[in-house]
Amino acid sequence: MAVFRVFLLLCLLVPLLGQAQRPTPPATRPPQTAPAGQRSGTNPPAANQRPAQAKGSPIKLLTAGALVGGDFEGVKIRKLITNVSFQQDDVFLYCDSAYQYLERNQVEAFSNVRVVQSDTMTITGDHGFYDGALRTARMTGNVVMRDPRMTLTTPSLDYDLNRKTASYTETGHLTDPQNTLDSQQGFYDTNTKVFVFKQNVHLVTPDSELNNDTLRYNTVSKIAYFNGPTRIKGKQGNLYAEGGNYNTRTRVSDFKRNAKIDTPNYLLGGDQLVYDELKQYGVARGHVSLTSKKDNLVLRGDAGRYWRALGRTKLYGGRPVVRNIGSQKDTLYMAADTLISIEARPGQTTTRTILYAYPKVQIFRGNMQGVCDSLTYDRQDSIIYMNRGPVLWQAKNQLTADSIQIRSKRGKVDEMRLYSNAFAVNQDTLLNFNQTKGRNMMAYFRDNKMRRVDVLGNAESIFYALDGDTVTTGMNRVLSANMRLLFLDNKLNKISVLSNPEAKFIPPHELKPDDERLKGYQWRAKERPTRRQVLGKQFDDRPKKKVVKKKEVKKTTAPATKTTKSKAKTPAKTTRPKPAAPAQPARPATKPAISAPAKPAAVANPK
């Protein structure tokens, strides 16, 4: 009777086995024996590879609703169905049905497949192949890998249980409590908790998005390491770099190689950039540049600090330079030891957009140059304030005072205001120095050319009279409460006395050295900065000259070489340097005709 019941049970199970998920017979589905790492395209280190003939501990069958054993083309196989489970050391495998290859120590699992290792890592999928000899598993179909820190979903996954590493090549989606990450390929080391992602990497955090092609991500520290063009899009601006790391927990970026912060108002860049998004504070080093998008202002230096919450940027090191104050057609360059830019914040009426420069300030703009020790540039009103020993040169005019203001309109100099101890010097074609001084001065420009200077208070002037720009006919010396100087093509053309004039004309033969200089006169042309001095190494935007390679000269004998060298030096010894401009004004050899001083003309009130 008992034998009959067993026979009846087998008759009932055979049809059920045929209707189950019909695994392909061993003849048409050969067991997968290749290591998981090799099938996924990743080559694990040779030192960690196990020999193909290595055998692990036997895979033990724990549970199964039904079991049918047999040989298929000489391969011993178990067919298992319903609540199937296996164990090998610290690894457990669960599924609805399976093939167990006894001699190969392998299992092919179907439907609701689950692999668990050490109760910390779980992999689920529709289909799995487990190699007990190599201790590798390959999962396909809706694969989900979980550990206490993250969840990974992918169409297929290879897992090495010896090294505890996983890899995928058909896109993957990783999530942790704070972030999500997608990529085309990935590799995960469960020992170090480090992921390596490749191709179309997209990391999304609560406050930003990161895109690049290669990314290494630590699921414990939440730090993403990248090498290659990387863009981080945040709520307050975008970051770009070609190397570095980003802490998704603290939101601190350490960017290297062409790093940039791009905000609605500014673009800050450098060779290295460390930026704290929570504190809104950044430090940049190496080829630092700050570009103001609103007024096309560019600052460059060797080091910089950025306080976004305060709208404040500080550049220092290597003589920082400012470019494009005004229009692009009339560029102004400015250099100083330290530059500070302050941005007007939205909703704040007391803060203005201002640039500070100090000390040793130098300015270069077309035919205008200047120096001072401290400068303030109000970018809202286009006013430059020069303090502490300011000097301005415009064509052949020199202006000095205790402080100077430069006001611009439509990107061009409109007027200059000189306060306290104002002094103007103009050099004429015969190298005479026309001089004017007073309490204050107002200089007016048209098309960046000086056209008028009004002297307000205690005005004094020395004005040389010329005959056809070739002969000095005398010198006018004028004192007045106020006066006006008129210029033509940046040359002093006429002086008009406005009130209480005292004037005299001194012919050349009566001139004395004391008569040719007003008190406080200084000609400071040697301090006039050149374009190269102001630009330095930070701005070299001139087109590079093509270097023409000289043809190689064939070497000659030793005596000929000496003769050649001696001949080459001969011109240098005989060449005379050009004579320098004389410090004193030149006087004609013959006595010129003396003309009477012109009667002061009545003019309108100063502007």
Side-chain angles (χ1 to χ4, degrees):
M1 188 66 180
V3 176
F4 177 76
R5 290 178 179 176
V6 173
F7 176 78
L8 181 60
L9 178 61
L10 289 175
C11 292
L12 293 174
L13 285 175
V14 168
L16 291 174
L17 288 173
Q19 296 175 3
Q21 296 182 359
R22 300 179 181 271
T24 304
T28 58
R29 185 191 296 267
Q32 303 177 32
T33 58
Q38 294 179 3
R39 290 196 305 273
S40 62
T42 58
N43 296 321
N48 295 328
Q49 288 183 352
R50 294 172 60 89
Q53 66 273 18
K55 294 183 178 181
S57 58
I59 300 174
K60 300 177 182 178
L61 174 62
L62 298 181
T63 62
L67 180 152
V68 177
D71 291 339
F72 294 88
E73 296 186 359
V75 179
K76 291 185 178 181
I77 188 172
R78 285 177 175 175
K79 294 183 179 181
L80 306 138
I81 191 169
T82 310
N83 297 327
V84 182
S85 62
F86 300 92
Q87 179 184 4
Q88 185 190 42
D89 302 329
D90 61 342
V91 179
F92 292 86
L93 187 150
Y94 306 90
C95 61
D96 289 347
S97 60
Y99 286 152
Q100 183 180 13
Y101 303 91
L102 298 176
E103 293 181 353
R104 297 175 180 175
N105 201 21
Q106 297 172 344
V107 172
E108 189 170 8
F110 306 91
S111 184
N112 297 318
V113 182
R114 181 162 51 102
V115 176
V116 181
Q117 185 177 31
S118 303
D119 294 329
T120 58
M121 188 282 303
T122 302
I123 305 175
T124 61
D126 295 337
H127 175 265
F129 184 88
Y130 182 77
D131 190 325
L134 299 176
R135 284 174 60 83
T136 60
R138 177 169 178 79
M139 303 286 284
T140 58
N142 302 313
V143 180
V144 179
M145 179 179 181
R146 293 185 177 90
D147 72 7
R149 294 178 177 85
M150 66 87 204
T151 300
L152 171 69
T153 58
T154 178
S156 62
L157 181 76
D158 293 302
Y159 186 73
D160 189 318
L161 291 96
N162 288 319
R163 293 194 298 269
K164 297 184 179 180
T165 58
S167 61
Y168 62 87
T169 59
E170 300 180 74
T171 71
H173 178 77
L174 179 143
T175 61
D176 64 22
Q178 294 179 330
N179 313 300
T180 63
L181 196 149
D182 295 272
S183 69
Q184 187 68 33
Q185 299 178 6
F187 178 85
Y188 181 49
D189 190 329
T190 62
N191 298 297
T192 61
K193 308 300 180 185
V194 173
F195 257 106
V196 177
F197 302 97
K198 293 185 178 181
Q199 295 185 18
N200 302 322
V201 182
H202 182 60
L203 172 64
V204 179
T205 73
D207 301 289
S208 61
E209 294 184 28
L210 182 151
N211 291 277
N212 82 336
D213 277 342
T214 302
L215 182 71
R216 187 161 54 93
Y217 179 66
N218 191 310
T219 59
V220 178
S221 64
K222 310 298 182 184
I223 298 178
Y225 303 86
F226 50 88
N227 186 15
T230 302
R231 293 170 177 82
I232 297 179
K233 183 179 180 181
K235 295 180 179 178
Q236 299 177 346
N238 301 326
L239 302 173
Y240 172 86
E242 296 171 3
N245 63 76
Y246 175 61
N247 192 320
T248 62
R249 180 179 293 161
T250 63
R251 293 164 60 188
V252 175
S253 307
D254 186 356
F255 284 179
K256 298 175 177 64
R257 297 198 300 275
N258 198 23
K260 297 176 183 178
I261 299 178
D262 191 353
T263 70
N265 297 318
Y266 281 94
L267 176 63
L268 176 65
D271 291 341
Q272 181 181 9
L273 177 61
V274 178
Y275 184 67
D276 189 323
E277 291 184 50
L278 296 178
K279 296 180 180 179
Q280 298 187 38
Y281 171 71
V283 177
R285 294 180 179 87
H287 300 95
V288 179
S289 65
L290 174 71
T291 303
S292 174
K293 299 178 181 179
K294 183 178 180 181
D295 51 8
N296 196 28
L297 184 74
V298 182
L299 289 75
R300 290 186 181 176
D302 282 348
R305 298 179 182 273
Y306 177 55
W307 296 266
R308 176 165 184 176
L310 302 176
R312 178 187 177 103
T313 304
K314 179 179 179 180
L315 269 70
Y316 52 94
R319 291 285 291 169
V321 181
V322 180
R323 183 181 71 179
N324 281 11
I325 297 179
S327 66
Q328 294 181 348
K329 295 181 180 179
D330 189 27
T331 302
L332 187 146
Y333 296 92
M334 181 174 65
D337 287 353
T338 302
L339 298 175
I340 296 179
S341 175
I342 296 180
E343 171 191 356
R345 309 299 293 162
Q348 295 181 353
T349 58
T350 57
T351 305
R352 300 181 66 83
T353 303
I354 295 176
L355 176 70
Y356 297 98
Y358 63 91
K360 302 177 183 178
V361 183
Q362 293 178 317
I363 293 175
F364 186 95
R365 182 177 191 172
N367 63 353
M368 186 185 76
Q369 294 79 42
V371 296
C372 64
D373 200 59
S374 174
L375 181 145
T376 302
Y377 173 43
D378 186 333
R379 290 155 54 191
Q380 288 183 221
D381 295 336
S382 297
I383 302 175
I384 297 176
Y385 301 86
M386 301 177 66
N387 303 299
R388 297 184 182 179
V391 185
L392 274 175
W393 293 271
Q394 195 274 334
K396 291 188 176 182
N397 304 300
Q398 175 184 287
L399 304 175
T400 59
D402 290 350
S403 63
I404 298 177
Q405 290 184 16
I406 305 175
R407 295 171 177 260
S408 301
K409 286 184 179 180
R410 299 180 182 90
K412 295 182 179 180
V413 177
D414 182 61
E415 64 179 64
M416 294 181 186
R417 300 181 181 183
L418 289 72
Y419 296 106
S420 299
N421 299 313
F423 206 117
V425 182
N426 171 264
Q427 190 177 38
D428 63 20
T429 55
L430 296 182
L431 304 182
N432 298 313
F433 293 95
N434 301 312
Q435 304 153 48
T436 305
K437 61 179 293 188
R439 187 183 303 118
N440 303 314
M441 286 187 187
M442 301 286 289
Y444 301 95
F445 293 77
R446 181 178 296 159
D447 295 329
N448 286 331
K449 292 182 179 180
M450 188 181 294
R451 62 182 181 89
R452 193 181 88 203
V453 174
D454 291 342
V455 186
L456 309 175
N458 303 327
E460 296 182 58
S461 177
I462 290 175
F463 176 43
Y464 287 89
L466 304 181
D467 184 7
D469 288 342
T470 57
V471 178
T472 302
T473 59
M475 183 187 76
N476 289 288
R477 190 178 183 104
V478 182
L479 284 79
S480 176
N482 304 309
M483 67 174 62
R484 174 170 292 171
L485 287 70
L486 301 178
F487 291 80
L488 182 63
D489 294 330
N490 285 319
K491 297 178 182 179
L492 182 60
N493 184 50
K494 184 178 180 182
I495 295 180
S496 299
V497 181
L498 303 181
S499 59
N500 304 322
E502 292 183 17
K504 67 177 180 177
F505 180 81
I506 304 175
H509 66 280
E510 295 182 9
L511 285 173
K512 299 178 181 179
D514 292 342
D515 295 331
E516 297 179 290
R517 299 287 183 267
L518 294 178
K519 185 178 180 181
Y521 163 84
Q522 282 185 308
W523 183 245
R524 301 167 63 177
K526 292 183 179 180
E527 302 176 39
R528 189 171 188 170
T530 64
R531 186 178 189 274
R532 181 61 182 169
Q533 288 175 335
V534 177
L535 267 65
K537 65 178 182 179
Q538 303 297 342
F539 278 106
D540 192 2
D541 52 4
R542 293 174 295 179
K544 295 183 179 180
K545 296 181 180 179
K546 294 183 179 179
V547 179
V548 180
K549 295 183 178 180
K550 296 182 179 180
K551 295 182 179 180
E552 295 183 359
V553 180
K554 295 182 179 180
K555 294 183 179 180
T556 59
T557 58
T561 304
K562 291 181 179 179
T563 304
T564 303
K565 289 183 179 179
S566 63
K567 289 181 178 180
K569 292 181 180 179
T570 301
K573 292 181 180 179
T574 59
T575 302
R576 295 181 182 178
K578 293 182 179 180
Q584 300 294 333
R587 295 189 178 88
T590 59
K591 182 177 178 181
I594 301 173
S595 60
K599 183 178 180 181
V603 297
N605 290 331
K607 182 178 178 181

